[in-house]
Amino acid sequence: MGGREMARDEPGTATARLVTGVFAPQVLVIALPPVVGLLADGWPGVLWGLGTSALCGGVPAGVILAGVRSGRLDSHHLVDRASRTKPLLVAVCAVLAALVLLVVLRAPTLLVATVTAMLAALAVTVPVTLRWKISFHAAVSAGSVVVLSRVLPAVPTLAAGALVLAVVCWARVRLGHHSPAQVGAGALVGLGTAWTALSAFGA
């Protein structure tokens, strides 16, 4: 019996699957921009955020869903590292297009900074994942925590976010999809790129 098959029978695996689904990169990338827009610029910011979600999250999610349905991709979590390249390149193009539009249309600064952080994280993780399976779950979760700490009270947000990030990393390792080093590297990339991007914008 393989490691993944054994993992299915171990206690806690159902919880790990639930955490993996709730905090999937596509989910966070779609959910985060409207929240940031609302907290940064009120209801007009929500509209900016929804448009950003459609491009940054909706387009890649649609491509991945089509790939799963056609059998070209193993799942929407892109467990097989070899299958990640094309969907991730689509994600890079979608995020870049969103960033250009937000800048040209003069969207709220924090939203522009958030999308810049997404692009920076992809710029680091996409080349790495071609050779080593760095965790996108950990990277996106970590970056989201940093972004939210700029629009919510920082200390409780960072404390709660650290707990959530730890649970996400545990879940990915528990399911056998990543090693501790891979989730740790993903978390560091997410934290570093988000902090750098937001600081560059003074956000």
Side-chain angles (χ1 to χ4, degrees):
M1 181 179 293
R4 290 178 186 171
E5 293 176 338
M6 291 177 63
R8 291 192 185 99
D9 298 327
E10 293 174 358
T13 302
T15 301
R17 287 201 197 103
L18 177 62
V19 170
T20 284
V22 171
F23 295 99
Q26 301 99 313
V27 173
L28 294 180
V29 170
I30 290 172
L32 185 63
V35 174
V36 171
L38 175 64
L39 296 174
D41 200 44
W43 290 110
V46 173
L47 297 178
W48 286 108
L50 290 173
T52 302
S53 295
L55 277 174
C56 295
V59 171
V63 170
I64 292 171
L65 179 60
V68 171
R69 288 182 173 178
S70 68
R72 295 192 306 272
L73 300 175
D74 52 51
S75 78
H76 65 281
H77 295 306
L78 301 178
V79 175
D80 179 15
R81 181 177 60 83
S83 70
R84 289 179 161 192
T85 304
K86 290 182 179 179
L88 290 176
L89 289 178
V90 170
V92 170
C93 292
V95 172
L96 182 58
L99 181 59
V100 170
L101 286 173
L102 291 174
V103 171
V104 170
L105 297 176
R106 299 184 179 181
T109 300
L110 185 57
L111 201 53
V112 175
T114 299
V115 176
T116 301
M118 292 180 189
L119 187 61
L122 285 170
V124 176
T125 53
V126 170
V128 171
T129 203
L130 296 178
R131 293 183 173 275
W132 189 62
K133 195 181 174 187
I134 192 169
S135 173
F136 284 90
H137 273 76
V140 176
S141 295
S144 298
V145 170
V146 175
V147 171
L148 289 174
S149 72
R150 302 300 177 98
V151 291
L152 295 170
V155 174
T157 300
L158 290 171
L163 178 60
V164 170
L165 177 59
V167 172
V168 169
C169 291
W170 164 81
R172 301 305 288 158
V173 174
R174 182 57 177 264
L175 293 175
H177 293 168
H178 291 288
S179 68
Q182 289 166 344
V183 295
L188 288 175
V189 169
L191 291 170
T193 53
W195 184 85
T196 300
L198 293 173
S199 297
F201 279 86

